[in-house]
Amino acid sequence: MTQQQEFSCDSSGLLSEDQFLCSICLDVFIDPVTTPCGHNFCMKCLKECWGNTIQCQCPLCKEKFTKKPELKINTTLREVVDHFKKKSDLDKPEVLCDACTGVKLKALKSCLDCGATFCKKHLEPHNSVPKFMKHRLIEPVENLQDYICQKHERPLELFCRDDQTNVCQFCVMIDHKAHNTVPIEKESIERKTQLGKTQTEVQQMIQDRQKKINEIQHSTSLRITNSEKGIASCMEVFTALLRFIERSQAELLEVMEEEQKAAERQAEGLIKELEQEIAELKRRDAELEKLSHTEDHLHLLQMYPSLCRHPHTKNWNDLSIDPDQSGDIVRKTLSQLQKSLSEEIIKTVNEKMRESVSTELKTIQQYTVDVSLDPDTAHNFLILSADGKQVTHGNTRQNLPENPKRFESCLCVLGKEGFSSGRFYYEVQVRGKTKWDLGVARESVKKKGQLALSPINGFWTVVLRNEKVYEVSAGTQVPFPVREKLQRVGVFVDYEQGLVSFYDVEDRSLIYSFTGQSFTEKLYPYFSPCNNDNGKNSAPLIISPICRTG
């Protein structure tokens, strides 16, 4: 968007004068310059405002600049302002001289003492005659009577603060004798200054609301994006599960077909064996029938021993065919399938969750802030590194100055910078420690006496105890599982959404989220390395540079 496009028009389609006023001098821009945050000021006004300071800030939005910007005239804006000035002069109604006869010339000044408006020629006495040189001249106006007291016909030079009205010198002597009156110029300057402050406040309110609109739009955009990603992830999970079910269905059918063929082969073998025994038994039955009617007594006696012995056959009474055997196989197969399906679901969901959290971390890491420790808040037994990035517990009390911000009983320290809007993220290395506390705390948490870590007391934290017990401090200590010992913890806050989340950066997983919180004051990063436990917990907490996730 160009500079010209940034200026809106009034209802008549013309640019309004307010859009060309410097918020410092409250007058139309002279040699306008633009700050990095996009606001415009007169070059002279801004230079006088900044003076010789090394670090400076925008007089309007208060954004700080670590390096003083090099000021260059915004030539485009200057051209627009010059064009506006010319256009404004052309649009002003022309005031004519009251003293001219015949063709009246354009007036140059109006005289409050004479009660008339004069052109250059008729104004000459006011520049040369001592009596007229004392008269009060103003820019030419049509409604000159509005500037003159109708009762005393004298210029309205004073302002009565008691009655809030313009008065002349005679009014002060008669009707406003005991009132608080000041010159109109003084009252006008004070009113103009107040208007400037009000305008600045209104402009700040506009910026705050525009910022809120941008945040809402950005949050909505993120929600839509996250929702779309969530839907896509769910679809991928369902697709993977469908593929698994289809594959398992094919395997189940294959198993069932094999079981069916095996049952058929078994039945065929048994039937064949039984049929062979039946044929043998029928042959013997025929021989017995024949011998029972023979008259050959010698042959009968010879065959009798072999025919009286029981034939060599199986005991088929113990054989039973279970009709539910195939059902047992099905149930067993289904049980295995159900177990495999549960494992597959867990595996697939975990994979998708890790992918989702990994993507989420990439987005969140865009809100990384530079956190350093505030020595004014550190407990006397804590030792901070020179760069303010590490904290550990010492064995002796340090001789530190008294400070109302300092924690007296709890071994903790806050970050230097607080946050009262927007989002912020930072990471802390906890490797080698057996206990620690991490999170955020509101500005007003008590610094004296024992602390109870909970949201109701202004703390949103996770903690490690006894080397392997991880807990959330949510009023009561709520344990949470981790796949492996935490090495690096990410802390993310969305102030407007009331969200505080903790991430296992190495595992790319979400540890815990406080949701639906209501923040009304500044939040500060909170750290406690806990005591060093005779050297077992001597490793420091380290505010780490961000390691982008893969």
Side-chain angles (χ1 to χ4, degrees):
M1 182 179 289
T2 63
Q3 286 285 350
Q4 293 98 323
Q5 291 173 318
E6 291 180 357
F7 303 113
S8 60
C9 297
D10 60 19
S11 58
S12 65
L14 298 175
L15 295 169
S16 61
E17 183 178 0
D18 292 343
Q19 293 170 290
F20 301 104
L21 297 182
C22 170
S23 59
I24 298 176
C25 67
L26 303 179
D27 208 343
V28 178
F29 292 127
I30 298 176
D31 293 335
V33 293
T34 304
T35 59
C37 56
H39 295 116
N40 301 303
F41 306 93
C42 299
M43 176 178 279
K44 182 180 178 182
C45 294
L46 192 55
K47 283 185 174 180
E48 290 178 353
C49 179
W50 284 350
N52 296 322
T53 57
I54 298 176
Q55 286 191 343
C56 46
Q57 64 181 12
C58 173
L60 191 58
C61 69
K62 307 306 179 185
E63 180 177 337
K64 294 181 179 179
F65 311 120
T66 54
K67 181 180 179 182
K68 181 181 289 187
E70 183 181 351
L71 299 178
K72 294 183 179 180
I73 295 175
N74 187 331
T75 54
T76 303
L77 179 57
R78 182 171 63 181
E79 290 173 3
V80 175
V81 171
D82 291 343
H83 175 75
F84 174 78
K85 288 179 178 178
K86 293 176 183 178
K87 187 74 171 68
S88 298
D89 290 339
L90 292 174
D91 291 342
K92 287 181 180 178
E94 190 175 75
V95 180
L96 302 179
C97 176
D98 291 331
C100 287
T101 58
V103 178
K104 293 183 177 293
L105 299 178
K106 183 178 179 180
L108 186 63
K109 294 288 182 180
S110 293
C111 178
L112 295 177
D113 293 276
C114 298
T117 300
F118 303 104
C119 64
K120 183 177 181 181
K121 176 184 176 182
H122 290 108
L123 186 65
E124 183 57 33
H126 287 80
N127 297 323
S128 57
V129 178
K131 176 182 177 182
F132 294 121
M133 289 174 66
K134 296 180 180 180
H135 288 190
R136 184 177 177 186
L137 302 176
I138 62 173
E139 292 299 312
V141 293
E142 286 187 326
N143 54 336
L144 187 59
Q145 64 276 8
D146 293 341
Y147 295 78
I148 298 174
C149 176
Q150 299 301 307
K151 184 175 182 180
H152 303 108
E153 296 185 353
R154 300 297 300 166
L156 296 171
E157 298 177 297
L158 302 168
F159 180 81
C160 177
R161 288 179 170 172
D162 293 331
D163 294 338
Q164 293 291 299
T165 185
N166 298 319
V167 295
C168 69
Q169 291 180 345
F170 289 132
C171 292
V172 173
M173 296 171 62
I174 302 173
D175 299 327
H176 301 266
K177 188 174 183 179
H179 291 183
N180 180 16
T181 57
V182 294
I184 281 181
E185 290 83 355
K186 180 179 179 180
E187 184 68 19
S188 176
I189 291 172
E190 291 184 7
R191 293 286 180 96
K192 196 173 182 181
T193 301
Q194 186 59 43
L195 285 175
K197 292 180 180 178
T198 303
Q199 183 186 19
T200 301
E201 292 172 357
V202 170
Q203 290 173 345
Q204 185 62 50
M205 291 171 68
I206 292 171
Q207 289 183 0
D208 292 342
R209 281 149 182 76
Q210 187 59 52
K211 181 180 178 183
K212 185 64 65 176
I213 290 173
N214 294 339
E215 289 176 354
I216 292 171
Q217 289 174 338
H218 183 63
S219 297
T220 302
S221 176
L222 283 179
R223 284 186 176 182
I224 292 172
T225 301
N226 291 336
S227 178
E228 290 173 348
K229 290 179 180 177
I231 292 171
S233 296
C234 288
M235 293 303 296
E236 290 178 8
V237 170
F238 291 141
T239 301
L241 292 178
L242 284 174
R243 284 197 298 266
F244 175 79
I245 291 171
E246 290 171 356
R247 187 172 66 252
S248 300
Q249 182 184 34
E251 292 174 357
L252 177 61
L253 289 174
E254 185 178 346
V255 170
M256 293 303 298
E257 288 176 359
E258 186 60 36
E259 290 292 335
Q260 184 178 351
K261 290 178 181 179
E264 290 175 353
R265 287 195 300 270
Q266 182 187 26
E268 289 174 357
L270 292 173
I271 290 171
K272 184 178 181 180
E273 194 173 349
L274 283 167
E275 286 176 344
Q276 288 175 348
E277 290 191 0
I278 290 171
E280 177 62 27
L281 290 172
K282 282 183 177 180
R283 184 184 61 78
R284 178 167 290 203
D285 180 61
E287 289 180 356
L288 289 171
E289 178 64 24
K290 182 179 179 181
L291 285 175
S292 67
H293 295 91
T294 186
E295 294 297 333
D296 187 350
H297 302 294
L298 180 62
H299 181 65
L300 174 63
L301 292 175
Q302 290 175 341
M303 297 299 297
Y304 181 79
S306 61
L307 293 175
C308 284
R309 289 195 300 269
H310 286 292
H312 183 67
T313 58
K314 285 185 178 181
N315 183 7
W316 296 94
N317 292 329
D318 294 335
L319 176 65
S320 62
I321 303 298
D322 187 359
D324 291 331
Q325 185 176 6
S326 60
D328 291 340
I329 295 172
V330 172
R331 282 190 289 273
K332 182 179 179 181
T333 305
L334 287 175
S335 177
Q336 292 175 345
L337 176 61
Q338 184 179 21
K339 182 181 178 182
S340 300
L341 182 59
S342 298
E343 292 174 351
E344 185 73 14
I345 289 173
I346 293 171
K347 177 183 176 183
T348 305
V349 170
N350 283 341
E351 287 177 355
K352 295 304 175 185
M353 283 290 292
R354 285 166 66 84
E355 290 176 8
S356 176
V357 172
S358 180
T359 302
E360 185 177 320
L361 266 177
K362 288 181 182 179
T363 302
I364 286 173
Q365 286 172 338
Q366 297 175 7
Y367 299 101
T368 298
V369 293
D370 183 16
V371 175
S372 56
L373 303 171
D374 183 2
D376 290 341
T377 65
H379 187 276
N380 288 332
F381 272 84
L382 296 185
I383 299 173
L384 309 187
S385 62
D387 62 358
K389 299 296 183 181
Q390 300 186 29
V391 56
T392 188
H393 175 251
N395 290 316
T396 57
R397 179 182 293 275
Q398 300 179 80
N399 186 21
L400 300 177
E402 288 287 335
N403 195 311
K405 294 165 59 178
R406 190 178 308 286
F407 288 95
E408 285 191 352
S409 301
C410 185
L411 297 169
C412 53
V413 59
L414 298 180
K416 277 186 178 180
E417 295 294 328
F419 303 88
S420 56
S421 64
R423 304 174 180 86
F424 63 93
Y425 174 82
Y426 60 94
E427 292 179 0
V428 183
Q429 179 181 305
V430 296
R431 183 179 292 112
K433 295 193 66 60
T434 60
K435 49 187 173 181
W436 46 258
D437 305 345
L438 280 181
V440 293
R442 65 177 176 230
E443 187 173 25
S444 64
V445 292
K446 73 173 186 176
K447 308 297 192 302
K448 319 302 177 187
Q450 294 298 318
L451 303 182
L453 299 180
S454 69
I456 196 170
N457 293 326
F459 297 91
W460 292 265
T461 59
V462 293
V463 304
L464 169 65
R465 296 291 182 266
N466 301 323
E467 195 170 358
K468 57 185 178 181
V469 179
Y470 294 95
E471 296 177 326
V472 176
S473 299
T476 57
Q477 298 300 96
V478 181
F480 61 87
V482 295
R483 281 162 45 101
E484 295 182 6
K485 187 175 175 67
L486 295 178
Q487 304 296 319
R488 186 190 295 259
V489 177
V491 184
F492 173 68
V493 176
D494 187 328
Y495 194 96
E496 281 72 25
Q497 294 295 326
L499 173 70
V500 181
S501 294
F502 299 88
Y503 293 87
D504 180 348
V505 179
E506 303 291 333
D507 190 49
R508 294 180 299 161
S509 61
L510 176 66
I511 295 173
Y512 187 82
S513 286
F514 292 93
T515 59
Q517 306 299 302
S518 179
F519 303 132
T520 57
E521 55 185 280
K522 276 189 176 182
L523 297 179
Y524 288 81
Y526 168 86
F527 310 85
S528 174
C530 300
N531 62 61
N532 63 20
D533 196 14
N534 295 321
K536 295 179 182 179
N537 189 40
S538 60
L541 287 177
I542 303 174
I543 302 169
S544 306
I546 300 303
C547 177
R548 301 292 179 183
T549 58

